[in-house]
Amino acid sequence: MATLSGEAWRVDPEMAAAAPAAALPHVAIRPARGWTGLNLGELWQYRELLLFLIWRDIKVRYKQTALGAAWAILQPVFSMVVFSLFFGRLAKVPSDGIPYPVFAYCALLPWQLFAHALAESSNSVVANERLITKVYFPRLVIPIAGVLAGLVDFAIAFSVLIFLMLRYGIVPTWTIATLPLFVLLAILTALAVGLWLSALNVQYRDVRYTVGFLTQIWLFLSPVAYPSSLVPERWRPLYGLNPMAGVVEGFRWALVGKTPAPGAMLAVSVAVVLLLLVGGLFYFRRMENSFADVI
Amino acid sequence: MSDLAIRCEGVAKQYRIGQRESYRSLRDTVTHGVTAPFRRVRAALQGGNGRPANGTPTIWALEDISFEVRQGEVLGIIGRNGAGKSTLLKILSRITWPTRGSADIYGRVGSLLEVGTGFHPELTGRENVYLNGAILGMRKSEIARKFDEIVAFSEVEKFIDTPVKHFSSGMYVRLAFSVAAHLNAHVLLVDEVLAVGDARFWSKCMNKVRSLNQQGVTILLVTHSMWQVQTACRRAICLEHGKIRYDGKPTDAIGYYEGLLKTTDGQEDPVLASAPDQAGMASAGAESIVDFRVQPLGEWSPEGKPLSDSGMRIAFAAKLQPRSEVKLLIRVTSPTGLPYFSALSDPVHADSNGSIHCESCIQKLMLMPGQYLLFAALCSVEDSRNMLTAESIPFEVEGPGCTNEALFWNQVDWKIRDAMETGGRA
């Protein structure tokens, strides 16, 4: 004897008592008018989504690759080897008294962090088109997640540096305590530029072709393969207009502690990053109104 | 008004034609920018207002949309392709912004414009439930609490730790719908996503929507399925060319929509069948169908499924206003809602407790083997197309053959003389 019956639904206690209208959240939808506030409070409400997106990017990054997370080590290590051979050995580029491999690797670490974060974040909005056209959430979550997901690769690559420093017998000084600040500066630099590029990328896909080229040029404009001491003293604050100059020299100073502290240059770099970042945040917020229509 | 869930006032949305299809290249913008002053001067000389006289062509996807939805209402939105249904839902979901007008929503908004938004093929079912939940606005703790329920609803327990790229498309949408269905929203905006899975799951989804509504959730449903509008909605809006053309009873909105389908673009719109009327919704939500069950009549298969020549005994109880009068409807449809047959009772009255007990028998199903939905509904006495409430049960008819071969089964007695049996004497 068979009896089919309709599904019985458990009533969710939270929903069962309909809250009075006064207690309900109110969503006001108004036409978008130019510049708007950053609404960082809402961003904070969506912090779990941010963590989930970062977690997704990390989880998915090396799926279906043969070498997996080894990629995070291979890229900076090979760059370091090539740099040491051609710039260190053959071209005899000075390295401020630090063994050239350590000199180069100290710079390649923040550089790779920056370059990957920039590539990820500037492509992030377009890559998450489906989310943007189907679900509401603060759009800023997307480029921020793109930037932060690169930190895991950075941590993996960092382990090689410890090995290198042991190999060359370099003992870090107290300055290593300042390293997190320089990591933060590298992240913020990538985010500042990434915000502009990701918003521009929605309307102008030219950005896609620009980023690779830009990173390449930027590498040579930054003291990765050479020390900033090659730049005349009085021009150094100007050199700091490239925020990565401050980041890279800051890394060397924090890790090895032999080079002089990048004072004026660093100050200029920080100022530039903050300007770019605040401008980028507002620009992104202004452009995000049209993302779903244009993407 | 305290029981207001959604209010739209003069909402309009303008699109630049072509804007949605392609993105501009920087070069175009640069050349555009360089020539802009000249165009502006020319326009000014021609007496324009400074904007280019023949500027970018634009269309109004929505014009002057105003309506209110009360809490606990289920509003259907119908209209032809391009009528502006999805644009309206996108504005209410805050995915895009209106060009003019304003909208207010009271309560936590859940929007389901697509099933499985943000699902990543490389992640497992479990991981995707968490990711998708977070994207839809659930907290991690909330997802964890509902996780077992979500998985049980989706019926993919066995594969929950398999990457979803190995899922069948049915399993994929089932899991995705389950996450969405457990969203704790006060206002749910749904776009065509209910057309998922097989017959049984479809029925389960529809029942879930109804049960959410019974819990007080306000639902806005964009759909092309008139059956869905009839069974799930209390009120429907018909959009055409970005304007509300009809707002009122689902049956009348459907009538208006069907009139639209007969006209082609450019022709005059059909005359309104009747003025917008909301009086019919006074008793909204008061009716329900409970204890809906099906029992065998005649011979069923050992697995407990009916055969083509089996009968079916259908029993249900209805709850409604005491002493009110309704007609009862039994209907068998395809999984997608195509009706095969219906039977409508004479008008009956509820007792003083507001209940009606009904038992009905179908002597022979006469259906080909396959999947079906059985609906029981309460209909208004004045117009039996106006359904007050409906409930469905999926069932399967067993036997050789399938629905692809024919719609109906019938008993045929063959009288043929077989040449082999008669020994070929002829």
Side-chain angles (χ1 to χ4, degrees):
Chain A
M1 160 98 181
T3 304
L4 304 168
S5 70
E7 294 273 352
W9 287 104
R10 204 169 64 76
V11 176
D12 195 318
E14 275 177 38
M15 298 301 304
L24 291 177
H26 171 217
V27 180
I29 299 163
R30 304 284 179 270
R33 300 230 185 280
W35 302 98
T36 50
L38 293 182
N39 205 354
L40 296 177
E42 195 184 30
L43 199 60
W44 176 246
Q45 278 175 19
Y46 278 82
R47 62 192 181 278
E48 280 194 350
L49 175 62
L50 176 66
L51 292 177
F52 268 115
L53 289 178
I54 296 170
W55 167 80
R56 177 196 69 178
D57 286 352
I58 292 168
K59 193 105 194 178
V60 166
R61 177 164 296 184
Y62 295 116
K63 281 269 165 90
Q64 221 164 48
T65 59
L67 295 176
W71 277 112
I73 290 180
L74 287 177
Q75 289 173 19
V77 166
F78 272 101
S79 307
M80 182 266 287
V81 169
V82 171
F83 278 29
S84 302
L85 196 63
F86 287 90
F87 295 111
R89 279 282 166 82
L90 301 179
K92 301 261 186 295
V93 174
S95 59
D96 288 343
I98 307 168
Y100 194 89
V102 178
F103 172 84
Y105 202 79
C106 279
L108 281 165
L109 273 180
W111 178 259
Q112 297 268 351
L113 173 65
F114 166 76
H116 282 168
L118 179 61
E120 287 292 322
S121 64
S122 48
N123 195 36
S124 61
V125 174
V126 171
N128 286 291
E129 180 199 336
R130 298 260 293 194
L131 291 191
I132 300 237
T133 54
K134 299 293 178 192
V135 194
Y136 172 81
F137 55 90
R139 305 312 191 200
L140 276 172
V141 165
I142 286 185
I144 295 176
V147 166
L148 293 181
L151 278 173
V152 172
D153 278 10
F154 174 77
I156 296 171
F158 197 85
S159 61
V160 175
L161 181 74
I162 298 172
F163 173 78
L164 265 182
M165 287 175 73
L166 284 175
R167 163 81 177 69
Y168 285 96
I170 297 170
V171 182
T173 61
W174 65 270
T175 52
I176 197 159
T178 60
L179 191 69
L181 295 177
F182 294 108
V183 176
L184 181 69
L185 189 60
I187 287 284
L188 290 182
T189 310
L191 182 63
V193 182
L195 283 172
W196 287 93
L197 291 183
S198 60
L200 277 168
N201 198 10
V202 173
Q203 206 151 41
Y204 309 109
R205 299 296 153 99
D206 308 62
V207 169
R208 200 186 301 167
Y209 308 104
T210 317
V211 173
F213 175 67
L214 179 77
T215 326
Q216 210 174 10
I217 298 291
W218 203 327
L219 172 66
F220 292 110
L221 291 176
S222 308
V224 175
Y226 57 89
S228 62
S229 55
L230 282 188
V231 178
E233 183 81 44
R234 61 198 169 103
W235 291 113
R236 245 172 264 168
L238 194 65
Y239 189 48
L241 284 176
N242 168 8
M244 284 312 287
V247 170
V248 166
E249 283 305 332
F251 251 74
R252 282 199 186 114
W253 174 72
L255 284 166
V256 186
K258 281 187 183 168
T259 48
M265 192 171 82
L266 185 63
V268 174
S269 289
V270 171
V272 168
V273 168
L274 289 181
L275 270 177
L276 270 178
L277 184 64
V278 172
L281 283 168
F282 278 100
Y283 179 71
F284 189 92
R285 285 281 295 163
R286 184 190 160 91
M287 297 310 287
E288 75 175 27
N289 300 336
S290 61
F291 280 177
D293 298 340
V294 180
I295 202 164
Chain B
M1 206 166 132
S2 63
D3 68 339
L4 199 64
I6 303 173
R7 175 174 45 214
C8 277
E9 272 175 6
V11 168
K13 175 76 184 176
Q14 189 179 40
Y15 278 117
R16 262 180 250 165
I17 293 177
Q19 191 187 29
R20 284 170 66 86
E21 284 79 35
S22 66
Y23 41 84
R24 284 181 278 168
S25 96
L26 193 55
R27 193 187 59 193
D28 295 344
T29 309
V30 169
T31 48
H32 187 86
V34 168
T35 55
F38 302 105
R39 270 180 284 120
R40 194 164 291 193
V41 167
R42 198 191 309 152
L45 289 176
Q46 286 166 355
N49 56 1
R51 290 183 59 190
N54 297 318
T56 335
T58 56
I59 52 154
W60 288 93
L62 287 178
E63 276 181 86
D64 197 30
I65 300 288
S66 300
F67 64 91
E68 290 187 351
V69 183
R70 278 181 281 162
Q71 277 177 29
E73 231 183 310
V74 183
L75 174 66
I77 299 177
I78 55 177
R80 288 192 283 187
N81 289 333
K85 307 184 294 286
S86 297
T87 307
L88 178 59
L89 228 50
K90 278 191 173 177
I91 287 175
L92 292 177
S93 313
R94 288 187 290 167
I95 287 163
T96 183
W97 272 255
T99 312
R100 282 204 305 257
S102 69
D104 293 272
I105 305 181
Y106 300 90
R108 187 172 158 183
V109 184
S111 64
L112 290 181
L113 301 202
E114 182 188 62
V115 161
T117 309
F119 261 46
H120 198 288
E122 294 284 356
L123 298 176
T124 67
R126 182 185 302 274
E127 291 164 341
N128 270 310
V129 167
Y130 277 91
L131 179 64
N132 190 228
I135 287 169
L136 292 176
M138 282 195 245
R139 295 221 169 276
K140 196 182 167 192
S141 55
E142 190 183 333
I143 308 168
R145 193 156 44 79
K146 292 186 175 173
F147 185 81
D148 292 337
E149 211 179 315
I150 291 172
V151 176
F153 187 85
S154 69
E155 300 163 17
V156 297
E157 288 102 329
K158 265 197 231 164
F159 307 96
I160 196 68
D161 289 312
T162 311
V164 297
K165 66 176 176 181
H166 300 307
F167 276 30
S168 73
S169 55
M171 283 155 61
Y172 184 92
V173 286
R174 282 204 320 256
L175 186 63
F177 180 85
S178 303
V179 183
H182 290 81
L183 194 64
N184 242 355
H186 299 103
V187 178
L188 206 53
L189 310 169
V190 186
D191 191 0
E192 296 273 19
V193 293
L194 292 175
V196 299
D198 55 13
R200 217 177 39 73
F201 196 72
W202 189 83
S203 154
K204 203 170 163 178
C205 294
M206 286 305 288
N207 287 343
K208 178 75 183 172
V209 167
R210 273 193 290 271
S211 90
L212 283 173
N213 179 239
Q214 274 162 19
Q215 289 165 33
V217 179
T218 312
I219 297 169
L220 230 74
L221 192 67
V222 163
T223 180
H224 278 116
S225 160
M226 295 306 121
W227 177 242
Q228 224 171 53
V229 173
Q230 245 184 357
T231 53
C233 304
R234 299 239 147 227
R235 175 182 156 203
I237 281 176
C238 183
L239 287 180
E240 174 70 0
H241 298 311
K243 294 191 183 97
I244 293 182
R245 293 307 174 89
Y246 187 85
D247 181 350
K249 276 189 208 163
T251 39
D252 295 338
I254 292 170
Y256 183 78
Y257 172 71
E258 279 164 354
L260 280 180
L261 291 180
K262 287 180 195 133
T263 66
T264 47
D265 264 327
Q267 272 184 314
E268 253 183 61
D269 293 333
V271 186
L272 276 182
S274 58
D277 164 30
Q278 298 190 18
M281 302 159 25
S283 64
E287 302 85 5
S288 65
I289 286 177
V290 292
D291 289 335
F292 185 16
R293 59 186 74 245
V294 169
Q295 287 163 345
L297 182 69
E299 198 186 335
W300 280 31
S301 79
E303 289 82 41
K305 288 173 181 164
L307 306 167
S308 293
D309 62 346
S310 304
M312 193 180 256
R313 193 189 303 272
I314 301 154
F316 62 90
K319 295 271 174 227
L320 59 166
Q321 301 281 354
R323 311 260 175 235
S324 59
E325 192 182 20
V326 286
K327 288 179 179 175
L328 306 178
L329 175 81
I330 294 287
R331 176 173 287 180
V332 170
T333 75
S334 74
T336 49
L338 175 74
Y340 281 115
F341 60 79
S342 320
L344 194 64
S345 77
D346 291 329
V348 284
H349 288 88
D351 61 20
S352 57
N353 297 322
S355 59
I356 296 177
H357 291 272
C358 166
E359 199 182 300
S360 59
C361 290
I362 301 174
Q363 293 302 335
K364 268 192 181 161
L365 286 172
M366 315 225 324
L367 291 168
M368 290 299 287
Q371 303 279 340
Y372 298 91
L373 288 177
L374 173 70
F375 278 88
L378 302 184
C379 302
S380 124
V381 176
E382 295 80 41
D383 182 358
S384 58
R385 290 177 308 165
N386 190 10
M387 262 176 232
L388 305 171
T389 185
E391 201 69 38
S392 68
I393 292 181
F395 69 94
E396 188 184 346
V397 174
E398 216 173 64
C402 64
T403 23
N404 296 343
E405 294 166 19
L407 291 179
F408 283 99
W409 174 92
N410 211 332
Q411 187 155 8
V412 175
D413 297 322
W414 300 95
K415 283 206 170 65
I416 313 166
R417 202 166 58 185
D418 190 315
M420 289 299 282
E421 276 175 25
T422 51
R425 274 178 297 171

